[in-house]
Amino acid sequence: MIKIKTLEEIELMRESALIVSKTLGVLAAEVKPGVTTLQLDKIAEEFIRDHGAEPGFLGLYDFPNTLCMSPNAQVVHGIPNDTPLEEGDIISIDCGALKNGFYGDHAYTFEVGEVAAETKELLKTTKESLYVGIREFRAGNRVGDVGYAIQQYCESRGYGVVRELVGHGLGRKMHEDPEMPNYGRRGRGKKFVEGMVVAIEPMINLGTHRIKQLRDGWTILTADGKPSAHFEHDVAIVNGKPELLSTFKYVYEALGIESNEEDEFRQKVAAS
């Protein structure tokens, strides 16, 4: 069942989402050759706790860490370890936080030093597809409209769209209804209404859409060993339109990137 949020609840969710956004911003300055994903995980846990929240992933479904850290051909759910990142790697960092009884859940795929041109293009397209999907998340549209938009944008450029893993509703639980696939047909699926909050998260592969799972029970890999990218935002429907609760602003500040990509999704309608 879809749980509709009040404006006051949406503002509480924005607090949780922004803690995750700020955590990703802190990590952006630390992602470099030689650092281990366990070191990044420790930084994230300390930052989240220091800001009055709890790590949203730690212990969730028995996951052992604060961050899902998925380099290169790992799609999602990678477990932090002692292996140093190397020049040319990419790494998806997926982070969650729980504050005021609500979750934030937010992801960004980082470049480690200089990466291959075709990998850069994969990251660019995946992030663009996130906003393509968000534009469809408005009152009266349906789940299939978001999935269709993301799928068409990515497949038309030759990329594989992961089927088995999807975005989701968000709230007092990390995973709520509705599921938000990155593929679909227009006009199909549950209808979007005022007060819905979801996590939209394209997971796009350089090669095949097919995936496999490691024996650790968590880590998802591309079936052909080619790189995968993952970007995620938390979005609410306010006044019938998509309103971003999370932001990449802190990542961009750390990396020296200028962007206005989020402006169209900022209504500035915070509850009084």
Side-chain angles (χ1 to χ4, degrees):
M1 183 177 70
I2 295 173
K3 298 184 182 298
I4 303 303
K5 279 74 178 180
T6 65
L7 277 177
E8 290 77 14
E9 289 174 327
I10 287 171
E11 289 310 308
L12 291 175
M13 293 192 68
R14 192 191 303 273
E15 288 187 39
S16 300
L18 288 178
I19 287 174
V20 180
S21 299
K22 291 174 182 177
T23 304
L24 291 176
V26 169
L27 295 172
E30 304 296 331
V31 173
K32 58 191 70 172
V35 72
T36 71
T37 50
L38 265 178
Q39 289 172 324
L40 296 173
D41 190 75
K42 181 179 179 181
I43 291 169
E45 180 176 357
E46 290 179 354
F47 184 88
I48 291 168
R49 294 192 188 280
D50 286 347
H51 286 77
E54 299 176 17
F57 295 167
L58 183 61
L60 185 70
Y61 312 126
D62 294 324
F63 188 75
N65 292 89
T66 293
L67 302 174
C68 292
M69 307 281 281
S70 309
N72 301 321
Q74 293 185 17
V75 181
V76 287
H77 302 163
I79 299 174
N81 57 46
D82 286 321
T83 303
L85 297 176
E86 297 182 0
E87 181 83 14
D89 285 346
I90 59 171
I91 183 157
S92 161
I93 301 182
D94 194 354
C95 179
L98 175 64
K99 186 176 182 181
N100 299 319
F102 289 98
Y103 283 95
D105 177 20
H106 188 26
Y108 192 93
T109 301
F110 294 91
E111 301 176 17
V112 183
E114 287 297 318
V115 307
E118 66 174 0
T119 306
K120 275 183 176 286
E121 192 61 29
L122 169 68
L123 268 59
K124 177 176 180 288
T125 298
T126 304
K127 183 153 65 69
E128 289 171 350
S129 78
L130 171 60
Y131 296 108
V132 168
I134 290 171
R135 289 188 190 101
E136 300 294 326
F137 182 60
R138 56 182 60 246
N141 278 6
R142 293 181 180 272
V143 166
D145 296 322
V146 172
Y148 175 87
I150 292 171
Q151 180 181 14
Q152 293 301 306
Y153 193 83
C154 294
E155 288 186 348
S156 68
R157 289 158 175 79
Y159 299 118
V161 178
V162 174
R163 306 292 201 274
E164 294 87 347
L165 303 158
V166 299
H168 50 90
L170 189 69
R172 293 190 180 276
K173 294 183 178 180
M174 175 66 75
H175 298 108
E176 297 184 353
D177 286 337
E179 290 191 342
M180 296 290 296
N182 297 303
Y183 64 96
R185 297 178 63 181
R186 286 201 178 279
R188 299 293 181 90
K190 294 180 179 179
K191 183 180 286 188
F192 301 138
V193 298
E194 186 77 6
M196 286 181 66
V197 181
V198 301
I200 297 176
E201 49 178 322
M203 290 157 273
I204 309 301
N205 301 340
L206 185 63
T208 179
H209 68 83
R210 294 182 176 85
I211 59 173
K212 59 185 179 180
Q213 188 173 43
L214 291 184
R215 291 182 179 178
D216 62 19
W218 285 102
T219 306
I220 303 296
L221 296 163
T222 59
D224 58 9
K226 293 183 178 180
S228 181
H230 175 216
F231 292 87
E232 179 180 18
H233 268 312
D234 301 338
V235 196
I237 295 181
V238 179
N239 296 328
K241 300 176 182 178
E243 167 79 8
L244 277 183
L245 305 183
S246 53
T247 180
F248 292 145
K249 177 179 74 171
Y250 303 104
V251 169
Y252 293 161
E253 287 176 354
L255 299 179
I257 296 172
E258 293 186 9
S259 172
N260 62 358
E261 67 193 13
E262 298 180 1
D263 290 356
E264 66 181 286
F265 308 111
R266 300 290 181 196
Q267 299 182 49
K268 299 180 180 179
V269 289
S272 58

